[in-house]
Amino acid sequence: FLRARVADDSDHIVDEKAAQMGLSTLNSGELLYHLARGLRVGYFLPTGNAIRDYVQTQLNPTINADRDLITAIVTAGDPSDPSDPTDRSDAFPSRDKSADSMRALHLRSAAGIGTANFRSVQRLIDVKQIPLDAAYCDEVAELARKVDPELGASLIDFLPDRLMASQYGYMREFSQPGIPGQDIDEPFQRSTQRYYLHKCSGCNEWHALEERFPDCLSCTDNGATVHGPDITDRSLPSLQSSWSLHCPDCRRPFDADTKRVVMLVS
């Protein structure tokens, strides 16, 4: 279902997403692709711990599983090209081909050396320090709440300035939703607002299920099935409960093996 998202080559993409849908992994692949093109990339998360978790659980496994990537990584103090002015003070320890420093990643290719900088957004300098060709803003619902105490402005608002000198200017914002009309929902409302739609095989209607929640949800517990809003009016179901998605209009269950999922502009 992410194929339509992968195929979208827009400069600025906003993803208001569910948890654990694979978008961080997808963006890791795109980030490495940009590095192979010799671009400078910034990856931003709310805290240092979040940066550490992302690098260790998402990025490093991707790098260490690919021989070509391992070979292309430039390690700290690499003397192979002393004329290269790239600042490698935050590059990787030579003992391991991964982003162990939690600060930067340098990847050598025919296009040059691409650099990724990983930053937690705590101060204004964290978002204004480096020029970028691409910026990845992860967990925007939390990033948007990082405010400069002197300016009284959201720190994430300064990130687009880092792209102004680039001929590329890729911007990726993604997060689980927070407050309607704010956080990640604010830039999403300004976008083309594309949705993944499910088609019911009964009434042939297309539905954006997140817009029809909880009418599209059913719970079966102890032989009884409860639909939609009634689920919230009963006691917490037992661990033996089974959950399913159905058409919010005709209540025909969606077949997980045959359902059609597309990405359409609303």
Side-chain angles (χ1 to χ4, degrees):
F1 70 95
L2 285 173
R3 288 180 180 176
R5 169 61 176 76
V6 173
D8 193 328
D9 60 354
S10 302
D11 292 342
H12 191 172
I13 298 179
V14 179
D15 291 293
E16 190 171 30
K17 68 182 190 68
Q20 302 299 318
M21 65 175 290
L23 198 62
S24 293
T25 302
L26 184 157
N27 284 325
S28 294
E30 187 180 79
L31 180 151
L32 291 167
Y33 169 69
H34 288 323
L35 295 189
R37 300 169 64 195
L39 304 187
R40 185 179 288 269
V41 181
Y43 199 101
F44 300 91
L45 274 160
T47 66
N49 286 337
I51 286 289
R52 184 176 299 107
D53 290 343
Y54 166 73
V55 170
Q56 291 181 344
T57 65
Q58 298 287 342
L59 191 60
N60 280 352
T62 302
I63 294 172
N64 291 323
D66 189 286
R67 184 177 300 275
D68 291 335
L69 283 174
I70 293 176
T71 304
I73 296 300
V74 179
T75 57
D78 187 345
S80 61
D81 187 4
S83 64
D84 180 16
T86 303
D87 178 10
R88 298 181 183 139
S89 60
D90 285 327
F92 311 141
S94 58
R95 61 180 173 81
D96 191 13
K97 300 282 189 171
S98 58
D100 287 331
S101 69
M102 307 301 169
R103 294 287 290 177
L105 171 73
H106 305 288
L107 188 148
R108 186 192 304 278
S109 70
I113 293 183
T115 301
N117 295 273
F118 308 102
R119 294 288 186 269
S120 61
V121 178
Q122 304 294 329
R123 302 166 300 166
L124 186 59
I125 192 173
D126 296 327
V127 297
K128 292 184 69 69
Q129 191 174 27
I130 49 178
L132 300 171
D133 297 303
Y136 289 81
C137 304
D138 199 346
E139 300 297 346
V140 173
E142 294 183 43
L143 279 177
R145 300 187 183 106
K146 300 291 184 177
V147 177
D148 182 272
E150 296 182 1
L151 299 177
S154 173
L155 293 175
I156 197 175
D157 292 340
F158 293 94
L159 280 175
D161 294 348
R162 300 297 87 205
L163 305 170
M164 292 178 65
S166 172
Q167 62 176 309
Y168 302 101
Y170 298 115
M171 185 80 172
R172 303 289 185 259
E173 299 180 71
F174 48 105
S175 176
Q176 292 177 249
I179 301 172
Q182 300 181 36
D183 306 329
I184 190 66
D185 193 51
E186 191 273 329
F188 178 75
Q189 294 298 330
R190 290 188 281 106
S191 73
T192 55
Q193 298 185 36
R194 300 184 181 187
Y195 288 84
Y196 290 102
L197 304 182
H198 293 62
K199 186 176 183 179
C200 175
S201 58
C203 63
N204 291 322
E205 292 294 327
W206 292 92
H207 300 285
L209 298 189
E210 58 268 47
E211 296 293 300
R212 299 295 301 272
F213 183 86
D215 293 340
C216 60
L217 190 65
S218 296
C219 175
T220 300
D221 184 44
N222 294 322
T225 299
V226 181
H227 300 286
D230 293 336
I231 294 174
T232 60
D233 297 332
R234 64 197 298 268
S235 60
L236 185 66
S238 67
L239 294 178
Q240 287 72 40
S241 301
S242 62
W243 300 83
S244 62
L245 295 172
H246 61 258
C247 173
D249 290 337
C250 72
R251 291 189 174 176
R252 184 184 182 92
F254 287 116
D255 189 331
D257 296 325
T258 61
K259 69 180 180 183
R260 298 173 58 191
V261 183
V262 298
M263 193 174 186
L264 298 178
V265 178
S266 63

